[in-house]
Amino acid sequence: MRKYWSVFKISFEQEFAYRLNFILWRVRNVFQILLTYFLWSTVFSNPQTQIFGYDRAKILTYVFGIMIVRALVLSARAMDVSSDVARGDLSNYLLKPMSYFKYWFTRDISSKALNLIFAAVEFIALFVILRPPFFFQGSVVTLFVFLASIILAVLIYFFLLFLISSIPFWAPEIGWGSHFLVTVVIIEALSGSLFPINILPVGLQSIVMATPFPYLIYFPVEVYLGNIGGNALIGGLMVAAAWTGVLWLSLNFIWQKGLKVYQAIGR
Amino acid sequence: MNRAIVVDRLVKNFEITEKEPGLTGAFKSFFSPKKKEVEALKGVSFAIQPGELVGFIGPNGAGKTTTLKTLSGLLYPTSGFVEVLEYDPWEKKPEFLKQISLVMGQKNQLWWDLPAIETFELNRAIYEIPSRVYEENLKELVELLEVEKLLTTPVRKLSLGQRMRMELTAALLHKPKVLFLDEPTIGLDLVAQQKMRDFIYEYNRKYEATILLTSHNMDDLVDLARRVIVINEGRILFDGALEELVNKYAKEKIIKATLSNENGIADIQKIGKVKKLIFPQVILSVPREATAIAASELLQNFPVDDLTIEEIPIEDVIRKAFKSGRTNLR
């Protein structure tokens, strides 16, 4: 365990070595929040408006909820794995008595810790400036379930990133392209970070809800808002847990296959 | 344990995708990739005793690095048997990994933006080195490699030579029993090369560590390796003492003489093959077994001021070994 604590510390230091990069990434997050905030704020400008079961307070909480959940779930370092594989830097880690998965999971956690601190500051600042009607969840049970859904989301995202990062074992050139497709296009659209999934037509909704993506952002935020309860809540958690298991098993399978064809290039 | 490393009929094939040049080539290979099997190792066998220092010689692409990578568990053998310290490297057991190290000249494990000491601390935790042992090892390594003053400088600001020595420190903090060195002196200036060689020699002697090193630098081998393994196109051509290699492939010796005048200088070719003749110096190549006779004839019949007998440079010997290896295969 101590070795991963050391990884956590050095990873934290490393994040600070790229200060400008980090600040730009935070600025991007803030802009995204502002954009979504003003969009929905305009749609709900009449206080009586209610669309898809959301009133102004809930949709704006959704927007702010995204901010925190994004910092927790989508801030990760494991996308660097694909270049490790493609350029042969993976060799450095394979030579060490340490689990490569745990190594990157630790680095993810350290990245999340740092991002969470900043997201909290941004949250307070935006809250003070915009004074949105914010919905505070009072039920301890719901908060607990929310925490569970966050943990599942973190694991799902971690396994997804690692799976995509395994592609360069077979096709070293396409590491970046596949990341762009998955992290930028699919996750942004299907995770619920642009719009709540339940504004989609019902048929499409159930298809999307069967994929792992909405369990990254949409599902945890909805749990927090108390919009999901009873069977839907249990069902959702079970789908998320099932995806976590399936992704974990496929990752182990793919990774072992990948290591066998790994060429340890770069001399 | 009487064998530190055992390799038996090791075969490693790589699959590579061939691509024609240009944009159309890229398109073609995207839709119908042309796969090709490359045989990097075609049945390599050898064994190394604990504490041996063995040099691996061969041209680029001969299979040296592939062998080292297989021995350290990075590559999965296509077929054959590999054992290091009685472990199967591929399993990557922590107990095994704690006893080996692979140092590659152009791969770095140091954290680029942080001082080297941070990487060392991280390795201490990863290899679970007790604090006191770590302090001792670190002190010893930084003194031997003369890098005490650079420990807190960010790695990106170090010169190549300094960085290589830091890499070596990071790779040796856990005192590996088996050390694989891939081109340890590549890119270093002469002084730094000598430092590196002295260090490797010292490390082998002091800890009775088993060391397998590859190098293009003949000085590395002459200085360090008593035993050499010559490998070419995935096959072993020679395995034995360096002197034996010289005896086997260097059928001739070199006589260098300085003459006092040019009398009868044309007859000198009767003694041996004239490689160079620029008065007052003459360089002859003579059969190994006739060296003594040739030298005495030279001394008796020509106005010799000075005379030395030398071996053919090791580079030439190895070039000959590769040439004969190639013709043997055909």
Side-chain angles (χ1 to χ4, degrees), chain A residues 28-244:
Chain A
R28 170 178 175 266
N29 271 9
V30 171
F31 267 102
Q32 208 157 12
I33 293 294
L34 285 176
L35 215 68
T36 333
Y37 175 85
F38 286 120
L39 174 74
W40 291 109
S41 196
T42 316
V43 173
F44 286 89
S45 50
N46 178 353
Q48 264 76 55
T49 317
Q50 256 221 354
I51 309 176
F52 319 115
Y54 289 87
D55 58 17
R56 189 158 182 265
K58 285 211 167 174
I59 197 77
L60 294 179
T61 308
Y62 188 89
V63 171
F64 273 86
I66 285 173
M67 189 155 98
I68 293 292
V69 172
R70 275 184 77 96
L72 276 169
V73 177
L74 296 193
S75 61
R77 293 245 55 92
M79 46 272 271
D80 295 353
V81 171
S82 66
S83 72
D84 270 6
V85 172
R87 287 187 305 183
D89 290 336
L90 176 61
S91 305
N92 282 330
Y93 303 96
L94 295 179
L95 289 167
K96 294 199 165 102
M98 170 181 72
S99 152
Y100 189 64
F101 291 160
K102 286 186 196 158
Y103 169 81
W104 278 108
F105 194 66
T106 313
R107 294 206 57 184
D108 268 9
I109 301 278
S110 105
S111 168
K112 286 176 204 307
L114 191 64
N115 274 286
L116 189 65
I117 294 167
F118 278 83
V121 173
E122 290 157 17
F123 179 85
I124 293 163
L126 288 179
F127 198 84
V128 169
I129 298 164
L130 302 172
R131 301 200 168 276
F134 192 77
F135 173 78
F136 286 96
Q137 178 58 255
S139 154
V140 179
V141 178
T142 309
L143 286 175
F144 228 75
V145 178
F146 170 66
L147 188 70
S149 68
I150 288 285
I151 291 170
L152 287 172
V154 166
L155 288 171
I156 288 174
Y157 191 55
F158 180 72
F159 295 149
L160 273 176
L161 278 186
F162 241 91
L163 271 170
I164 304 153
S165 300
S166 308
I167 296 172
F169 276 127
W170 293 273
E173 337 53 73
I174 61 169
W176 184 83
S178 53
H179 263 297
F180 181 78
L181 184 71
V182 173
T183 53
V184 180
V185 180
I186 298 180
I187 287 179
E188 289 293 335
L190 299 183
S191 68
S193 54
L194 288 182
F195 50 84
I197 302 296
N198 58 356
I199 69 170
L200 293 171
V202 181
L204 194 57
Q205 225 181 96
S206 46
I207 294 172
V208 173
M209 289 309 287
T211 68
F213 306 109
Y215 300 94
L216 296 173
I217 304 286
Y218 170 72
F219 185 72
V221 176
E222 286 290 282
V223 169
Y224 176 85
L225 293 177
N227 288 351
I228 301 181
N231 285 342
L233 179 62
I234 293 165
L237 281 174
M238 272 165 57
V239 174
W243 271 117
T244 313

Side-chain angles (χ1 to χ4, degrees), chain B residues 141 144 168 172 195-203:
Chain B
L141 288 167
L144 265 169
L168 200 62
L172 296 178
K195 269 187 198 159
M196 191 63 103
R197 278 198 287 272
D198 291 346
F199 176 80
I200 295 167
Y201 180 80
E202 222 15 59
Y203 189 85

Side-chain angles (χ1 to χ4, degrees), chain B residues 12-32:
Chain B
K12 177 66 188 175
N13 297 339
F14 288 117
E15 193 175 69
I16 56 163
T17 319
E18 286 198 322
K19 193 187 140 257
E20 286 164 39
L23 200 58
T24 41
F27 261 110
K28 263 191 209 163
S29 90
F30 186 80
F31 289 109
S32 58

Side-chain angles (χ1 to χ4, degrees), chain B residues 87-155:
Chain B
Y87 289 98
D88 174 359
W90 176 250
E91 288 176 5
K92 300 186 194 67
K93 291 222 172 85
E95 312 87 74
F96 165 71
L97 294 172
K98 281 181 185 177
Q99 296 186 62
I100 67 150
S101 205
L102 168 69
V103 183
M104 289 183 279
Q106 287 162 5
K107 264 270 156 300
N108 39 352
Q109 60 159 312
L110 298 171
W111 288 60
W112 189 249
D113 303 293
L114 302 175
I117 188 79
E118 300 281 354
T119 308
F120 300 164
E121 288 284 342
L122 181 63
N123 276 9
R124 175 175 70 102
I126 289 172
Y127 285 97
E128 296 168 306
I129 311 168
S131 287
R132 195 141 43 85
V133 179
Y134 167 77
E135 296 295 339
E136 273 173 30
N137 291 357
L138 181 63
K139 189 163 175 282
E140 193 186 339
L141 288 167
V142 295
E143 272 171 21
L144 265 169
L145 292 164
E146 298 169 33
V147 286
E148 301 103 313
K149 289 186 189 123
L150 303 167
L151 285 175
T152 51
T153 312
V155 171

